[in-house]
Amino acid sequence: MNIVLMGPPGAGKGTQADVMARNLFVPHISTGDIFRANIKAGTELGQLANQYISKGDLVPDEVTLAMIKDRLAEDDCAKGFILDGLPRTIGQADALEAILAEQGKQLDKVVNIDVPEELLIARLCGRRVCRNCSQTYHLENNPPTEPGRCDECGGELYQRADDSEETIKNRLEVYRAQSEPLIAYYEQKGLLLSVNGNQTINNVLVDIGKGLGQSW
Ligand code: ADP
Ligand code: AMP
């Protein structure tokens, strides 16, 4: 299954994509995670991307689309993928369709996780991520067993630099202006599955499963 996960920053895309990917035996491809891995490794791509990510702006398409084209061509995507973080604009959605068509593929479903904006700031400010394996936690909603340590690998948890209140405000504006129109775009294509993201992590997963005809 070739699936895109959409929703505003903090909606729970990464959280859901991770479990879905494990259950479906397909890779979870997060454009944000790929950028952050490049920033950590100090690559040229990372240095360039960081100039935009640190302000909460979108990384330019020429960089982002080349990166995702290469990633989707890798062998582990042959049986499907869960794409989280792209497309973020109508232009990227058109480009994604063209990239997939070149590879003889198409999207099966676009899952939109719907969360009221007033909940997003608290979700993002409380988010903690494993430095080692990128597993995501929340200080209150989904805390690790041992404070500051990842349950999965024991790695150190950190707060993303762009999860500061000022950067979050810009990210939400960028989402509204550039990404929200994708909901109507995919609805028109008959691909959209919208789920209520304002419920427990497990119940969101159950609703996504119902919409995909999948029991996890
Ligand atoms: P996104 O990838 O959409 O930016 P994340 O999956 O990283 O969002 O989730 C943002 C934060 O909200 C994380 O700290 C995560 O633990 C928490 N979270 C995710 N889903 C839920 C939920 N259904 N209810 C409460 N908190 C959630
Ligand atoms: P995320 O991990 O999805 O919250 O993304 C973190 C940041 O990475 C975003 O705020 C953008 O700066 C950048 N980014 C991720 N995906 C894209 C994309 N598809 N297009 C442009 N920038 C992106």
Side-chain angles (χ1 to χ4, degrees):
M1 243 192 282
N2 300 333
I3 297 172
V4 159
L5 272 189
M6 282 198 329
K13 301 180 292 296
T15 302
Q16 298 298 331
D18 204 43
V19 188
M20 290 166 66
R22 273 190 234 177
N23 278 278
L24 294 169
F25 302 101
V26 296
H28 165 201
I29 302 174
S30 156
T31 46
D33 280 353
I34 299 175
F35 284 134
R36 282 184 289 277
N38 275 276
I39 292 169
K40 191 175 165 188
T43 67
E44 209 176 305
L45 169 70
Q47 284 172 23
L48 190 144
N50 197 28
Q51 295 170 29
Y52 299 88
I53 294 178
S54 59
K55 293 188 222 132
D57 291 331
L58 295 185
V59 177
D61 276 358
E62 65 201 63
V63 177
T64 306
L65 293 172
M67 179 181 90
I68 205 66
K69 185 174 176 173
D70 287 349
R71 180 64 188 90
L72 289 171
E74 285 181 32
D75 289 348
D76 63 343
C77 296
K79 292 211 174 85
F81 53 80
I82 311 282
L83 186 50
D84 150 22
L86 185 143
R88 270 173 145 94
T89 62
I90 302 273
Q92 288 187 1
D94 289 334
L96 175 65
E97 194 177 341
I99 289 168
L100 291 174
E102 269 177 32
Q103 300 178 359
K105 298 176 190 166
Q106 57 183 24
L107 291 180
D108 295 309
K109 214 65 173 172
V110 174
V111 178
N112 179 50
I113 306 180
D114 192 19
V115 177
E117 189 165 324
E118 60 271 21
L119 293 182
L120 297 172
I121 293 183
R123 280 202 187 178
L124 292 167
C125 288
R127 171 160 63 187
R128 295 294 181 273
V129 183
C130 176
R131 234 180 245 293
N132 184 41
C133 72
S134 303
Q135 181 71 31
T136 299
Y137 298 86
H138 190 279
L139 291 179
E140 281 143 32
N141 305 339
N142 184 25
T145 311
E146 189 191 328
R149 287 274 148 219
C150 178
D151 289 354
E152 302 285 324
C153 74
E156 183 202 0
L157 303 187
Y158 80 107
Q159 183 170 28
R160 276 171 48 176
D162 62 343
D163 279 345
S164 67
E165 209 159 328
E166 196 174 311
T167 312
I168 290 170
K169 279 192 188 136
N170 187 42
R171 286 161 64 203
L172 292 174
E173 269 173 40
V174 168
Y175 170 78
R176 255 182 264 120
Q178 305 203 49
S179 309
E180 207 167 45
L182 285 166
I183 297 174
Y185 171 97
Y186 280 123
E187 186 155 43
Q188 215 188 3
K189 286 187 180 275
L191 288 174
L192 193 75
L193 166 66
S194 242
V195 297
N196 173 14
N198 184 13
Q199 43 180 347
T200 64
I201 291 173
N202 198 50
N203 286 346
V204 176
L205 183 68
V206 168
D207 279 1
I208 294 174
K210 277 185 198 153
L212 296 177
Q214 185 76 33
S215 58
W216 307 110

